[in-house]
Amino acid sequence: MALNATHDPELRSWVEGANDPATEFPIQNLPFGIFRKKGKNERPRGGVAIGDQIFDLAALGLETGPILNGFAAAGPHAWAEVRKGLSQFLSVKNYRKNLAKHLTPMRQAELFLPVAIGDYTDFYAGIHHATTIGKLFRPDNPLLPNYKWVPIAYHGRASSVVVSGTPVVRPNGQAKPPDAPAPVFGPSRRLDYEVELGFVLGPGNALGKPIQIGEAEKHIFGVVLMNDWSARDLQAWEYQPLGPFLAKSFATTISPWIVTLEALEPFRSAPFEREPGDPRPLAYLSHEKDRGVDIALEMHLRTAAMKKPVRLSRGNARDAYWTPAQMVAHHASNGCNLRPGDLLGSGTLSGTTPGSLGSLMELTSGGRTAIELSGGQKRMFLEDGDEAILRGRCERDGAASIGFAEARGRVLPARPAR
Ligand code: CA
């Protein structure tokens, strides 16, 4: 993929809001989502975010229905054609007269999950996160021996992936306090978030037929923000020997707009720089042109007592040890069939500085040191009424800055345990 006319930083839209330097949706972004007008009894349908408006894809004759899986399955050539068309229709002023009627102000719109997610897999590619968490348990040997060889993941639960804005009920579950003789069942006391990216898959592969690393990006429709809500007390008690289960499956929040890899083209980065002693990736995970993504990720928290959210962290997706293509190629390397709309999480993306840590587990050193918020409030883990707001933004000299909107969710009290 290469830069083309759709990335031109000088390009402007006749949709005024798209030319605001603060917008996340200039004409160079054009992310896809599913929307309908609030309070109307109409069917959700495909749209593209442009400034403070949503442009109805039906105006181009693209009838997606209430999910984008069909469009995701159509592949990179189809996505690029639609993007090119959108870029022209939304920039050339002469189209305004006929097309303005296909706009819906975002504040009047309701957004939905953009795809039906058949399967959801969560990787563990954030090496600094894996190291920091590993240190809590194994100070001398934080990374397990397989980490730099194999992109580690677990199969998550697709049914509880929700779109930004959906409240998250504090889960009940089984946990064993260190000093207690037996586990107890009740509300999680160590509810956390995880700052991640989600990769939404496009065309799948036939069962038994792996995806070559050089082809892997053709199978990625785009990128969303993802908060992998985690109950650390449930996790600590249940995760051995088979990995996370109920500590993760109660909710995963994603942002509503899928930013395509083509839109991200100006913000691709070199793959993670391996240390001299690190193994080279095995051949099926190696490709000379493989790249990462440069996306700044910020977690903000708004407690019930706050008017405005405070920022807890700012990290970057460049801190992923494995690239999106490596995750896809590895996932399909055993012949596992991936399907359009499948969601692959990156794993928690943390940097090496305190201000860049992507979970409370890291920010509080495993629940030992509370963080100070404004107004004298403190947090060890999330409390009822807290709202976690994940934001993402791409910036680079010579390119129009694009954003991801947000993945937001507020914690509601647990239901009675029995
Ligand atoms: Ca995770």
Side-chain angles (χ1 to χ4, degrees):
M1 197 176 288
L3 292 177
N4 56 45
T6 68
H7 301 103
D8 180 356
E10 301 302 320
L11 202 60
R12 296 289 179 272
S13 175
W14 49 262
V15 180
E16 287 303 324
N19 306 322
D20 180 344
T23 187
E24 299 189 291
F25 307 122
I27 193 160
Q28 292 84 357
N29 193 346
L30 303 173
F32 297 100
I34 294 288
F35 79 104
R36 77 173 168 199
K37 280 179 191 150
K38 257 184 217 163
K40 303 269 188 218
N41 201 12
E42 54 185 32
R43 253 166 78 86
R45 59 195 184 277
V48 67
I50 177 79
D52 53 355
Q53 307 282 321
I54 300 169
F55 183 68
D56 194 333
L57 286 172
L60 302 186
L62 188 60
E63 306 280 351
T64 63
I67 50 174
L68 290 171
N69 295 58
F71 184 48
H77 293 296
W79 311 331
E81 280 302 304
V82 170
R83 176 179 167 87
K84 192 173 151 193
L86 285 166
S87 182
Q88 288 167 356
F89 286 131
L90 293 171
S91 62
V92 177
K93 284 204 169 69
N94 286 350
Y95 289 117
R96 177 184 210 144
K97 189 162 173 280
N98 287 331
L99 293 181
K101 62 176 178 286
H102 297 288
L103 294 173
T104 299
M106 258 183 210
R107 62 180 193 297
Q108 290 174 18
E110 188 180 356
L111 297 170
F112 298 83
L113 272 184
V115 284
I117 301 166
D119 278 294
Y120 154 48
T121 303
D122 197 15
F123 281 84
Y124 198 46
I127 186 169
H128 304 309
H129 169 79
T131 305
T132 306
I133 294 289
K135 265 185 197 155
L136 295 172
F137 301 100
R138 299 174 301 276
D140 300 332
N141 189 21
L143 284 183
L144 291 168
N146 56 8
Y147 189 85
K148 291 178 175 177
W149 291 96
V150 54
I152 298 292
Y154 68 95
H155 285 118
R157 182 81 193 162
S159 65
S160 53
V161 179
V162 295
V163 74
S164 178
T166 309
V168 172
V169 177
R170 179 181 298 275
N172 286 310
Q174 210 184 106
K176 186 179 169 302
D179 48 356
V184 293
F185 184 85
S188 169
R189 293 175 172 182
R190 290 162 73 93
L191 182 59
D192 200 353
Y193 59 78
E194 291 189 337
V195 171
E196 303 198 23
L197 287 183
F199 303 101
V200 179
L201 297 192
N205 57 308
L207 181 64
K209 188 171 183 284
I211 294 171
Q212 300 304 314
I213 179 101
E215 301 289 306
E217 287 200 352
K218 296 179 184 168
H219 295 264
I220 301 175
F221 177 42
V223 182
V224 292
L225 306 175
M226 189 177 116
N227 176 357
D228 174 23
W229 302 88
S230 300
R232 302 299 181 193
D233 41 359
L234 278 55
Q235 188 178 357
W237 176 235
E238 76 172 6
Y239 87 103
Q240 288 179 314
L242 288 184
F245 178 35
L246 301 182
K248 302 275 195 175
S249 62
F250 56 95
T252 305
T253 301
I254 63 170
S255 55
W257 295 107
I258 301 175
V259 177
T260 60
L261 283 193
E262 187 173 1
L264 287 168
E265 180 61 27
F267 311 102
R268 301 305 300 267
S269 61
F272 189 85
E273 192 173 341
R274 296 183 167 222
E275 289 173 38
D278 286 3
R280 306 315 306 159
L282 296 179
Y284 80 100
L285 294 174
S286 294
H287 191 260
E288 58 193 12
K289 293 189 177 146
D290 197 9
R291 295 180 294 173
V293 283
D294 180 351
I295 303 170
L297 297 164
E298 293 190 356
M299 180 56 87
H300 298 249
L301 177 71
R302 192 168 68 92
T303 70
M306 283 177 187
K307 285 204 174 72
K308 280 188 176 170
V310 290
R311 192 173 87 189
L312 299 185
S313 69
R314 178 179 168 87
N316 194 292
R318 285 187 316 239
D319 284 315
Y321 194 79
W322 301 101
T323 65
Q326 285 173 321
M327 293 185 218
V328 168
H330 182 66
H331 204 314
S333 63
N334 66 344
C336 172
N337 50 329
L338 308 179
R339 293 180 297 190
D342 282 1
L343 177 67
L344 309 188
S346 61
T348 309
L349 296 163
S350 293
T352 51
T353 60
S356 65
L357 302 175
S359 68
L360 286 172
M361 187 73 173
E362 292 160 274
L363 284 168
T364 66
S365 305
R368 289 187 196 105
T369 318
I371 52 167
E372 308 259 352
L373 307 173
S374 60
Q377 293 183 87
K378 291 183 178 182
R379 279 296 179 277
M380 200 74 88
F381 290 99
L382 296 170
E383 295 185 7
D384 293 346
D386 285 357
E387 189 171 33
I389 305 158
L390 176 56
R391 294 179 183 146
R393 184 110 195 174
C394 299
E395 273 168 337
R396 212 208 66 197
D397 285 346
S401 171
I402 64 172
F404 282 76
E406 54 189 28
R408 170 193 291 260
R410 199 160 69 89
V411 178
L412 300 184
R415 309 234 191 264
R418 48 165 295 167

